[in-house]
Amino acid sequence: MNATAYPRRVITGVDGSPNSVAALHRAVAEARRGGTVLEVVLVIPGCPDPGAYAAALTKLSDILTLEYPDGPGVPVREKVEHGDPATTLVELADGAALLVIGARSRSEAGNPLGGEVVPVCMNRAPCPLAVCADHSQHAGV
């Protein structure tokens, strides 16, 4: 991928989970601060399916509209991709100013960040990485 073909940008992976929404909010704030384009990506694992693609694009638009009814205040590119979420996000982050992702809500296999996406992105992201969590869901715990 030719990173020079894109303006400076912040990438965030969103799947609708509370932590991915927290990542969206962080990414919007960072894009505003840096005057960058925001790329909001929903990655569908597995093979391409036109029905799944359309549903994912609708889901992505719905999340953005719910969180930012008047728009986020920065230029936004909505993307739906197919494949391994971690690998796809790392590839899309080539040349980005920042990659922002949500942590898993539960630890798996002794990994305090849970899942496979966060560790892969931590080890392979070609740009700075921010991992976010929605702390409001843990209030009073």
Side-chain angles (χ1 to χ4, degrees), residues 15-91:
D15 63 8
S17 68
N19 288 345
S20 77
V21 172
L24 172 64
H25 285 273
R26 170 76 183 270
V28 166
E30 294 293 338
R32 284 180 186 158
R33 187 177 359 264
T36 64
V37 171
L38 174 65
E39 288 186 9
V40 183
V41 182
L42 194 157
V43 182
I44 303 170
C47 298
D49 174 298
Y53 178 84
L57 197 53
T58 297
K59 179 179 181 177
L60 193 54
S61 281
D62 289 347
I63 292 167
L64 280 164
T65 300
L66 179 64
E67 296 301 316
Y68 296 96
D70 297 323
V74 295
V76 176
R77 291 188 189 125
E78 297 176 35
K79 289 184 164 189
V80 173
E81 300 283 340
H82 287 85
D84 173 67
T87 301
T88 301
L89 290 170
V90 166
E91 288 171 358

Side-chain angles (χ1 to χ4, degrees), residues 94-141:
D94 183 33
L98 179 67
L99 172 61
V100 186
I101 59 175
R104 290 283 304 239
S105 60
R106 293 191 164 98
S107 295
E108 295 176 3
N111 177 1
L113 296 173
E116 297 175 6
V117 175
V118 173
V120 169
C121 289
M122 287 177 70
N123 290 323
R124 296 183 36 212
C127 65
L129 172 70
V131 180
C132 301
D134 174 18
H135 296 288
S136 66
Q137 68 180 332
H138 303 293
V141 175

